[in-house]
Amino acid sequence: MSSTPAFATLALPTADWRDFYALTKPRVMTLVIFTALCGLLAAPGHIDPVLGFTAILCIAVGAGGSAALNQWWESDLDAGMKRTRQRPLPAGRMDRSSARDFGFALAGGAVITMGLAIGVLAAGFLALAIFYYAWIYTVWLKPRTPQNIVIGGGAGAFPPLIGWIAVTGHVTLMPVLLFLIIFMWTPPHFWALALFVQTDYAKVGIPMMPVVAGERSTRLQVLAYALVLLPLTLLPWWLGYTGMVYGLSALALGLVFVVLSAQVGLRRARSEGDAMKPEKRLFAYSILYLFVLFAMLVVDHFATGVGA
Amino acid sequence: MTQPLTPAELAAFRARQKSRSRALALVLVGVAVLFFAITLVKLREEVALSKQARQAGVAQAAH
């Protein structure tokens, strides 16, 4: 006979392990892990493979923890949007306190492990990245200002910086440039998405740029950020931190990014039955863009040896 | 009022509990292995550093 009374368990949904995994936003984590790994591999110097693996794991787990805290805080908003309605909390497969405890445990565990295995500086930046996403972006900026994505983009920009610091133990201009590249990449990437899901954001009262400033202004800002991003990605090459492999790749990738952004930026506001193809194309390309750009950074490091 | 679970619901509940416990056990084993490996690496680094320091001391004394 079971020791737990059957009626006592009904009020507490017991989430499956897959629900906890979903809470970490694994798809976003892919990009986090990849950019962190690229920062680690492109950094000058050497790190023991076990410590390198630990650093990447801590960054990934920290990102997962902050994603869980984000979903814990935003479960009511998520319930109101089609894109997020099936997440574990709004779908009722998990209770809020489990998500909160899981998020804090992951975040705390990742920072402590990073501090013990790698060092205080890397752990400090990881803690800052988690705080930035879970508090500054989620709690403070997102519900208050249409600039939420611009400033909040800093949260996603930390991984390559932390990966770099894990190897070198200090902050120089190059990892800051990597940070800035992701920082400037985030607004056009996210606003491309916001343009085709803006009705969802409007419904739950989140002041996303297309909802507050209107579609026309958002489109022009997408193009403006893409135009700033191009020379910024060329800076590491121009300053001699990378070689030609990265430089030419950044130029080619950036030009395509500008062209696709121009197709979105110079487009008129949507009409009835608009499939929003240019916006969807830009969103998809922006993900590929960042993957290839950072991959080229690593290829360049090993191929040319510049900055090693 | 809280309704009692049907046998099928109870079985599903137990299955979810079991899957969570298994996942947690795997994570704990992984963490233990990771900390063991980190300790080995740190020890190796310490040994290499102290060896270097000893060699530097010997070289200085020879001069």
Side-chain angles (χ1 to χ4, degrees):
Chain A
M1 201 184 126
S2 168
S3 58
T4 314
F7 58 82
T9 55
L10 188 63
L12 289 172
T14 299
D16 195 64
W17 67 268
R18 292 172 196 85
D19 294 319
F20 283 95
Y21 179 65
L23 216 56
T24 63
K25 296 189 182 173
R27 278 204 304 186
V28 176
M29 210 196 276
T30 316
L31 207 58
V32 167
I33 292 172
F34 185 74
T35 53
L37 184 65
C38 290
L40 187 130
L41 291 174
H46 171 77
I47 186 167
D48 185 278
V50 171
L51 298 183
F53 171 77
T54 306
I56 300 298
L57 186 70
C58 288
I59 294 169
V61 172
S66 57
L69 291 172
N70 165 277
Q71 289 184 58
W72 160 62
W73 190 261
E74 292 187 339
S75 58
D76 295 345
L77 297 179
D78 284 348
M81 295 198 288
K82 207 170 89 185
R83 189 172 65 88
T84 52
R85 201 171 286 156
Q86 285 312 310
R87 284 177 176 174
L89 286 171
R93 298 195 302 274
M94 185 186 288
D95 57 297
R96 288 189 78 228
S97 57
S98 292
R100 180 200 60 201
D101 298 345
F102 180 64
F104 277 117
L106 287 189
V111 172
I112 291 168
T113 308
M114 183 73 105
L116 291 171
I118 310 298
V120 176
L121 189 65
F125 271 100
L126 182 61
L128 180 65
I130 294 167
F131 177 74
Y132 202 111
Y133 185 70
W135 177 262
I136 296 181
Y137 171 67
T138 303
V139 178
W140 189 43
L141 291 173
K142 196 171 173 182
R144 281 180 177 79
T145 165
Q147 293 297 328
N148 47 20
I149 280 304
V150 179
I151 310 163
F158 276 105
L161 178 76
I162 302 169
W164 188 287
I165 292 170
V167 177
T168 63
H170 53 263
V171 186
T172 51
L173 181 60
M174 183 57 190
V176 174
L177 285 175
L178 297 181
F179 176 94
L180 287 175
I181 287 170
I182 301 186
F183 187 81
M184 298 304 285
W185 164 88
T186 308
H189 161 74
F190 199 86
W191 284 336
L193 169 76
L195 278 167
F196 59 84
V197 293
Q198 63 171 292
T199 45
D200 260 6
Y201 285 120
K203 215 161 58 184
V204 293
I206 290 291
M208 281 299 167
M209 194 59 85
V211 178
V212 177
E215 228 183 284
R216 183 90 195 112
S217 166
T218 309
R219 288 175 184 282
L220 288 174
Q221 288 189 67
V222 165
L223 180 56
Y225 274 96
L227 287 170
V228 176
L229 182 64
L230 178 60
L232 182 67
T233 56
L234 296 175
L235 263 181
W237 182 31
W238 188 62
L239 293 171
Y241 287 116
T242 65
M244 202 182 272
V245 173
Y246 168 83
L248 293 177
S249 306
L251 182 64
L253 288 163
L255 285 173
V256 176
F257 198 98
V258 168
V259 169
L260 293 180
S261 299
Q263 287 174 356
V264 171
L266 304 175
R267 203 167 171 243
R268 288 171 186 217
R270 74 167 82 190
S271 54
E272 207 51 47
D274 192 339
M276 305 291 275
K277 273 190 181 162
E279 292 76 11
K280 287 177 181 168
R281 203 183 303 133
L282 175 64
F283 179 70
Y285 176 75
S286 66
I287 298 169
L288 179 74
Y289 168 86
L290 204 68
F291 265 110
V292 179
L293 187 76
F294 274 78
M296 285 301 129
L297 184 75
V298 177
V299 171
D300 181 275
H301 177 75
F302 290 107
T304 67
V306 177
Chain B
M1 201 180 113
T2 312
Q3 295 293 311
L5 293 175
T6 65
E9 283 170 339
L10 186 64
F13 178 83
R14 293 265 182 262
R16 287 199 300 272
Q17 262 186 335
K18 209 173 197 175
S19 85
R20 270 173 69 164
S21 304
R22 280 184 182 155
L24 186 61
L26 273 176
V27 169
L28 288 175
V29 169
V31 169
V33 171
L34 181 70
F35 271 81
F36 181 68
I38 292 169
T39 309
L40 287 184
V41 171
K42 291 279 175 190
L43 277 175
R44 208 173 52 202
E45 281 179 356
E46 279 301 314
V47 169
L49 276 175
S50 57
K51 206 183 260 179
Q52 268 179 359
R54 262 205 314 272
Q55 280 170 353
V58 170
Q60 242 176 9
H63 280 291

